[in-house]
Amino acid sequence: MAVVLVGAQWGDEGKGKMTDFLAEKADVVVRYQGGSNAGHTVVVAGKTHKLHLIPSGILAGKISVIGNGVVVDPGQMLREIAGLELAGCDPSLVKLSDIAHVIMPYHHRLDSLEEVGRGDRKIGTTQRGIGPAYMDKAARSGIRVVDLLNPALFREKVAYQLTQVNHLLERVYDSEGFDPDQMADEYLEHAEGLAPHVCDTSVLINDALDEGKKVLFEGAQGTMLDVDHGTYPYVTSSHPTAGGACIGTGVGPTKIRKVIGVAKAYTSRVGDGPMPSELHGDMGELLRERGAEYGTTTGRPRRVGWLDTVILRYSVRVSGLAGLCITKLDTLSGLETIKVATAYRHEGERVAEYPHDLGVFGECEPEYVELPGWSEDITGVRSHSDLPAAAQDYLAAIEEMAGAPVYMISVGPGREQTIEVQGVFE
Ligand code: IMP
């Protein structure tokens, strides 16, 4: 049985924690897009683990697959594997698609140079080389894991790529070029470390499904960062929405049983681009501090705002969400009232659906409903019925406005601080 877990907002919704919780019930956990731009913070038995590339299922001792849709930084991957090994995880559980694309040092450099070149129009990327690596993939000049495992071919590809890239770096960006031999030597050393993990992961996942195993697809980033469906150009270069799970793993859509969206009880975003329900001032500061809203990958303070159900409805639509996991509900405890954006206003008109014109979206003012808050500490609550009435009402309002039922609720960072309302694998 295949279940896809996607971010229903701008990323950082708490997918890592929910994946970790669900991984206990799964046999295989798979990442299908993005790269080390993602940052999943998972707390197990009081210990904090920060993962960027490897699916958080590894912490539950499950087969953890990096699918073909992911762009892989070999050095980062090996460092993460080494860290997990030290933490007592079994590294042999990590599997890497042979057709995933490799992030090269020039992708990092170009990511920075392109951002500088954009000036005021900068995207606010994580500077991990993600965009340039996907550019090369689409331009058919990328280097894949399978190439990395063939030293002669790899050297040839690096040498060819660098004739192009060095030209660009030196002539357009007035930057220094790279030495092909040095780059190939460094990466071929990484290749030895990666080789035991590499396989045809489409076969592995499809076989697992044919054997009746439970496979969890773990999205990175979120709907509004999808290169097609997000707030383009303020997006990442891959497909966090549910369709990305098929393309990024080699599993057909007919095999996907359920798609669940993860959403914070409020909204956050890192990087630039419009966010209508953004809060400035004291309330924004309060949510940021209480919710520890600082990027896992970059440490940047996240922009925060009230929950935006226009965005949730949009995510339900573009990913076909069967349900929602609402995270960080505890962060809202102690507020007298809580606002929720239900629609926008633009030039006097009501806007009920996410507008694709970013100029319009940037000028949208949210229409809010104000709901009563609760004062109780809910971090120790373990069942829906034990939540304060106002918290239950808040969740019911989200279900109604987003158009999807709540499957799970998170009331703290720990694995045990999770309330399961409906079973995701049922
Ligand atoms: P890139 O993926 O590094 O190219 O960054 C593109 C945009 O996606 C920027 O706004 C980043 O802040 C954002 N982004 C990338 N990964 C994440 C993530 O894991 N969480 C939240 N935002 C992200």
Side-chain angles (χ1 to χ4, degrees):
M1 177 180 185
V3 169
V4 183
L5 204 66
V6 302
Q9 296 159 316
W10 274 278
D12 306 317
E13 298 92 347
K15 293 178 298 296
K17 181 200 147 160
M18 300 323 284
T19 306
D20 173 65
F21 179 82
L22 291 173
E24 290 278 351
K25 302 167 201 284
D27 300 294
V28 181
V29 182
V30 187
R31 260 199 65 186
Y32 57 87
Q33 45 71 230
S36 40
N37 49 351
H40 286 167
T41 308
V42 185
V43 182
V44 183
K47 194 167 182 309
T48 302
H49 301 266
K50 288 189 192 269
L51 299 171
H52 295 285
L53 200 53
I54 304 204
S56 25
I58 189 76
L59 299 168
K62 301 303 164 81
I63 295 174
S64 298
V65 179
I66 298 177
N68 56 273
V70 176
V71 284
V72 180
D73 181 332
Q76 168 72 29
M77 179 163 168
L78 291 173
R79 279 192 298 281
E80 228 164 272
I81 290 176
L84 285 164
E85 207 170 351
L86 279 177
C89 296
D90 175 0
S92 71
L93 294 171
V94 178
K95 308 291 175 193
L96 170 63
S97 167
D98 55 355
I99 54 167
H101 280 245
V102 178
I103 297 188
M104 303 297 290
Y106 45 85
H107 293 136
H108 285 264
R109 176 90 68 81
L110 287 167
D111 200 354
S112 309
L113 292 169
E114 284 168 5
E115 274 288 80
V116 172
R118 288 183 189 110
D120 288 350
R121 291 167 177 255
K122 78 175 167 50
I123 293 164
T125 76
T126 59
Q127 312 265 308
R128 303 292 157 119
I130 307 296
Y134 280 114
M135 278 164 71
D136 275 354
K137 175 174 173 172
R140 291 152 296 180
S141 51
I143 297 181
R144 305 190 295 178
V145 168
V146 69
D147 305 324
L148 184 59
L149 299 187
N150 179 337
L153 178 72
F154 182 71
R155 278 189 190 281
E156 194 186 308
K157 287 206 167 198
V158 170
Y160 175 72
Q161 268 312 101
L162 282 182
T163 56
Q164 314 287 316
V165 172
N166 282 348
H167 187 81
L168 179 69
L169 287 173
E170 288 158 5
R171 304 278 178 91
V172 176
Y173 288 108
D174 199 17
S175 176
E176 227 177 285
F178 287 95
D179 176 66
D181 288 330
Q182 202 182 329
M183 188 179 292
D185 289 347
E186 184 198 331
Y187 268 59
L188 287 172
E189 211 172 289
H190 293 327
E192 281 174 34
L194 290 186
H197 302 281
V198 178
C199 63
D200 182 338
T201 50
S202 167
V203 171
L204 185 156
I205 303 165
N206 279 284
D207 281 355
L209 288 170
D210 290 345
E211 287 163 21
K213 296 203 168 129
K214 294 188 179 107
V215 179
L216 181 67
F217 295 85
E218 169 190 6
Q221 292 89 40
T223 306
M224 302 314 286
L225 292 174
D226 187 286
V227 67
D228 273 279
H229 299 291
T231 49
Y232 191 91
Y234 299 100
V235 292
T236 191
S237 301
S238 64
H239 295 288
T241 48
C246 294
I247 294 168
T249 60
V251 169
T254 49
K255 300 272 177 82
I256 308 291
R257 177 79 64 84
K258 218 180 261 176
V259 184
I260 303 290
V262 184
K264 244 177 225 175
Y266 47 99
T267 306
S268 75
R269 129 163 249 186
V270 282
D272 296 83
M275 173 180 162
S277 68
E278 183 166 12
L279 281 166
H280 301 282
D282 290 350
M283 184 52 82
E285 203 49 48
L286 182 85
L287 282 184
R288 184 176 306 110
E289 289 311 313
R290 281 226 202 141
E293 296 294 351
Y294 294 89
T296 312
T297 301
T298 59
R300 289 182 286 181
R302 294 181 185 139
R303 299 157 65 192
V304 292
W306 296 118
L307 184 69
D308 185 338
T309 56
V310 180
I311 296 303
L312 290 195
R313 274 199 304 280
Y314 179 65
S315 293
V316 168
R317 169 154 56 86
V318 298
S319 278
L321 302 183
L324 293 167
C325 301
I326 302 296
T327 62
K328 292 204 160 182
L329 189 62
D330 54 302
T331 303
L332 298 181
S333 297
L335 299 181
E336 214 160 291
T337 57
I338 304 167
K339 288 188 185 178
V340 180
T342 55
Y344 308 130
R345 289 211 85 77
H346 183 259
E347 294 182 348
E349 300 282 320
R350 188 164 189 273
V351 179
E353 300 291 337
Y354 163 65
H356 287 160
D357 182 332
L358 209 65
V360 173
F361 188 53
E363 289 172 359
C364 278
E365 289 292 332
E367 273 185 4
Y368 288 113
V369 289
E370 199 154 351
L371 301 169
W374 57 93
S375 55
E376 296 90 333
D377 173 4
I378 59 169
T379 53
V381 175
R382 296 293 175 265
S383 80
H384 181 270
S385 56
D386 288 340
L387 284 169
Q392 292 189 27
D393 290 348
Y394 184 65
L395 293 168
I398 297 174
E399 289 185 326
E400 161 100 37
M401 291 182 236
V406 170
Y407 271 64
M408 296 197 291
I409 305 152
S410 172
V411 291
R415 195 183 267 174
E416 70 294 349
Q417 290 174 299
T418 311
I419 300 169
E420 203 169 6
V421 184
Q422 291 190 52
V424 164
F425 281 110
E426 279 155 24

